[in-house]
């Protein structure tokens, strides 16, 4: 019987279908199905066939894309970003060089609070316009689904403005964006002495955010000088009661016990986890909370100690990777660089890394049923790489290896010979 498809990708050198029934945990992260000399059939924006070229011989297609023996994978998923913000923080680079710690910059009114000031002073339209080039760059690195947080308003009006910007970007841009409310990102200077009152104010926003469907998840920065574990528990429990999924910025700088709290509250993910205890690692695995690791941030903050990815995997956790793209602690859209850092600093294997930026990242933002796989019925979000094999991407670091990106079955971004456009030759 012949199968009729819209588009058939042929001569794929290596295809990673990433077939999974849920997040890949522990040892499962290390085994990767690779189909050589493969084909991928797309119809009505979805994958309808994947297999070898021989198996594809019965397929008729309106359009063919010759992949010239390149690597083909699912579109990547970036499950932790702070996409929408005013201003930028390049002036903090000198402070960092002088050794001023991230939390001291924040304590002195800089860091997150300087971005809050800039975001309050930026209109909705300008926030949207400012985020678009970042979004284009994120797509150019092969990401087709991502998460974006608010958290640079710290007042109801500006938090809503950020969430509305995220919604508009999700509607206007081909990239799929999952929204998270991070009103509990820092304590605004005006409420410095009343963090509980501030959290009450942010929690009073839950109803409106839910009604307007402006966020699926609620997140909090559980950190020394920001919010305690106790405050985080109360705040997140209230969010849970409203039906939000939960995320935590946990143990990024000091090991307060954010991972244990994430497990206790059945959070979908706990993110950062640099200082997480043995107990926290164990409990996340038991609860099925996904460990979202952000090695770009550890690198950018100049720290020696990275999250214990290998122990997390040995303890049967599902690990995902994200950029943490933000104007302070990780100003990069380059998820491929994060894959290299995961190899070099977290000592993850290439097989684990590919699971961490596809299947597991999709599950970390509740999109495991749509994104992160190229199996039948999934969205045809595809990356064709300028590489012959999957080992090559984390290896050749700091540059963009994307050849083309397909979103919902259509080519939305194309490079050639490693660059976007040559104005010479
Ligand atoms: O703007 O510094 N860690 N939040 C918690 C951040 C980093 C983003 C920022
Ligand atoms: Zn973050």
């Amino acid at each position: 019987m012949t199968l009729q498809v819209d588009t058939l990708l042929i001569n794929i050198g290596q295809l990673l279908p990433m077939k999974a029934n849920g997040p890949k945990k522990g040892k499962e992260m290390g085994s990767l199905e690779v189909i050589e000399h493969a084909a991928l059939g797309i119809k009505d924006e979805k994958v309808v066939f994947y297999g070898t070229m021989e198996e594809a011989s019965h397929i008729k297609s309106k359009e063919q894309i010759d992949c010239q023996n390149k690597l083909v994978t699912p579109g990547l998923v970036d499950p932790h970003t702070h996409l929408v913000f005013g201003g930028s923080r390049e002036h903090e680079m000198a402070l960092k060089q002088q050794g001023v710690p991230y939390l001291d910059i924040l304590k002195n009114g800089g860091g997150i609070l300087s971005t809050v000031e800039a975001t309050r002073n930026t209109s909705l339209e300008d926030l949207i316009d400012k985020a678009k080039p970042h979004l284009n760059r994120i797509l150019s690195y092969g990401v087709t689904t991502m998460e974006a947080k608010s958290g640079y308003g710290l007042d109801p009006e500006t938090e809503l403005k950020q969430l509305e910007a995220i919604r508009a970007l999700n509607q206007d841009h081909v990239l799929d964006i999952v929204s998270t409310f991070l009103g509990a990102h820092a304590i605004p200077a005006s409420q410095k002495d009343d963090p509980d009152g501030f959290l009450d104010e942010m929690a009073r926003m839950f109803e409106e955010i839910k009604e307007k469907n402006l966020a699926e998840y609620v997140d909090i920065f559980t950190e020394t000088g920001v919010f305690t574990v106790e405050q985080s528990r109360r705040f997140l429990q209230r969010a849970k009661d409203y039906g939000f999924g939960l995320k935590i910025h946990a143990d990024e700088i000091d090991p307060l016990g954010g991972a244990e709290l994430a497990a206790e509250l059945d959070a979908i993910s706990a993110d950062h986890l640099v200082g997480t205890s043995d107990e926290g690692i164990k409990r996340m695995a038991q609860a099925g909370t996904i460990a979202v690791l952000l090695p770009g941030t550890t690198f950018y903050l100049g720290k020696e100690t990275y999250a214990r990815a290998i122990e997390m995997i040995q303890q049967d956790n599902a690990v995902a990777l994200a950029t943490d793209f933000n104007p302070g602690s990780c100003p990069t859209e380059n998820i491929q660089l994060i894959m290299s850092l995961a190899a070099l600093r977290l000592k993850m294997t290439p097989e684990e890394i590919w699971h961490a930026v596809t299947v597991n990242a999709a599950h970390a933002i509740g999109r495991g049923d749509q994104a992160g796989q190229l199996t039948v019925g999934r969205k045809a979000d595809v990356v064709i790489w300028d590489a012959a094999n999957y080992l090559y991407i984390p290896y050749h670091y700091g540059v963009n290896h994307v050849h083309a990106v397909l979103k919902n079955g259509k080519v939305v971004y194309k490079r050639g010979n490693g660059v976007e456009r040559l104005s010479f030759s």
Side-chain angles (χ1 to χ4, degrees):
M1 208 180 76
T2 56
L3 174 68
Q4 177 72 46
V5 302
D6 298 331
T7 307
L8 188 65
L9 274 64
I10 59 167
N11 297 326
I12 297 171
Q14 286 191 342
L15 175 69
L16 305 189
M18 310 305 298
K19 186 173 164 58
N21 298 321
K24 292 275 186 166
K25 295 177 183 161
K27 272 207 257 334
E28 293 169 359
M29 287 186 71
S31 86
L32 194 66
E33 183 190 7
V34 182
I35 306 177
E36 310 231 318
H37 200 49
L40 183 82
I42 298 167
K43 191 174 162 58
D44 299 332
E45 308 188 346
K46 300 247 162 65
V47 175
V48 291
F49 167 86
Y50 72 97
T52 62
M53 283 294 285
E54 290 71 38
E55 288 162 351
S57 58
H58 66 293
I59 298 179
K60 299 270 172 293
S61 60
K62 291 183 201 149
E63 179 201 22
Q64 282 196 352
I65 297 176
D66 185 345
C67 295
Q68 302 167 328
N69 287 316
K70 295 178 190 295
L71 168 71
V72 169
T73 72
L76 307 185
V77 179
D78 189 343
H80 183 137
T81 83
H82 304 249
L83 172 71
V84 176
F85 54 86
S88 55
R89 309 225 291 263
E90 59 274 29
H91 48 278
E92 285 176 11
M93 194 104 188
L95 293 173
K96 287 200 175 91
Q97 286 169 330
Q98 290 155 26
V100 183
Y102 174 82
L103 290 177
D104 285 3
I105 298 176
L106 176 61
K107 205 160 67 194
N108 295 322
I112 296 171
L113 292 179
S114 80
T115 303
V116 167
E117 184 67 23
T119 306
R120 288 178 177 177
N121 292 326
T122 306
S123 69
L124 173 63
E125 292 68 34
D126 288 351
L127 280 180
I128 294 169
D129 285 348
K130 188 167 155 34
K132 275 183 186 162
H134 294 305
L135 214 41
N136 291 340
R137 207 173 283 130
I138 289 169
L139 176 76
S140 81
Y141 283 109
V143 171
T144 49
T145 301
M146 63 183 284
E147 183 255 19
K149 301 174 196 296
S150 68
Y152 293 122
L154 310 185
D155 64 32
E157 184 194 347
T158 317
E159 286 294 321
L160 286 175
K161 183 170 69 177
Q162 268 192 286
L163 292 174
E164 273 155 18
I166 294 170
R167 165 178 291 180
L169 290 160
N170 183 39
Q171 284 166 356
D172 291 358
H173 200 280
V174 68
L175 238 153
D176 288 321
I177 310 174
V178 175
S179 175
T180 297
F181 174 51
L182 178 61
H185 191 193
I187 308 164
S190 59
Q191 283 153 278
K192 213 167 74 200
D193 301 322
D194 186 18
D196 291 315
F198 170 68
L199 286 177
D200 283 343
E201 189 184 359
M202 291 297 107
R204 280 196 293 275
M205 292 181 64
F206 290 159
E207 189 161 338
E208 183 175 358
I209 292 169
K210 197 77 203 173
E211 252 167 36
K212 294 186 175 164
N213 199 17
L214 280 168
E216 286 178 49
Y217 296 98
V218 169
D219 193 347
I220 188 165
F221 192 13
T222 306
E223 188 58 73
T224 305
V226 192
F227 300 109
T228 65
V229 169
E230 245 333 290
Q231 289 166 333
S232 303
R233 179 182 287 113
R234 279 199 301 273
F235 183 75
L236 291 175
Q237 186 59 56
R238 288 165 84 171
K240 195 174 174 177
D241 294 343
Y242 270 93
F244 291 102
L246 306 181
K247 291 178 166 283
I248 307 189
H249 279 67
D251 311 325
E252 173 181 354
I253 294 158
D254 291 332
L256 299 189
E260 289 89 331
L261 180 64
E264 175 190 324
L265 295 175
D266 267 324
I268 194 161
S269 73
D271 302 37
H272 284 291
L273 305 172
V274 177
T276 296
S277 68
D278 292 346
E279 189 60 24
I281 291 176
K282 212 163 77 190
R283 292 210 199 146
M284 281 193 307
Q286 283 162 355
T289 294
I290 296 176
V292 176
L293 305 185
L294 313 167
T297 307
T298 314
F299 171 74
Y300 201 77
L301 292 178
K303 305 270 185 186
E304 299 296 325
T305 305
Y306 283 74
R308 294 188 285 155
I310 292 310
E311 284 168 77
M312 291 178 195
I313 293 170
Q314 280 166 354
Q315 298 279 326
D316 216 29
N317 280 279
V319 171
L321 289 162
T323 57
D324 193 19
F325 171 61
N326 76 70
S329 64
C330 199
T332 184
E333 298 95 337
N334 187 348
I335 187 93
Q336 297 169 46
L337 176 60
I338 305 307
M339 294 168 76
S340 295
L341 289 171
L344 295 167
R345 290 286 182 265
L346 304 182
K347 312 288 183 199
M348 288 170 69
T349 66
E351 293 77 15
E352 290 164 349
I353 290 168
W354 280 101
H355 282 109
V357 293
T358 56
V359 175
N360 288 1
H363 278 284
I365 53 172
R367 291 296 184 277
D369 58 342
Q370 301 170 27
Q373 301 189 35
L374 286 178
T375 53
V376 173
R378 305 287 161 150
K379 283 191 186 192
D381 295 351
V382 187
V383 181
I384 306 172
W385 299 89
D386 268 326
N389 67 72
Y390 71 87
L391 299 175
Y392 194 83
I393 309 304
Y395 150 76
H396 182 163
Y397 89 110
V399 298
N400 191 352
H401 296 290
V402 164
H403 178 74
V405 179
L406 282 77
K407 180 72 187 146
N408 300 319
K410 297 275 173 317
V411 176
V412 289
Y413 177 71
K414 203 163 173 7
R415 300 161 69 87
N417 301 319
V419 290
E420 225 162 313
R421 213 177 290 115
L422 287 174
S423 57
F424 54 88
S425 87

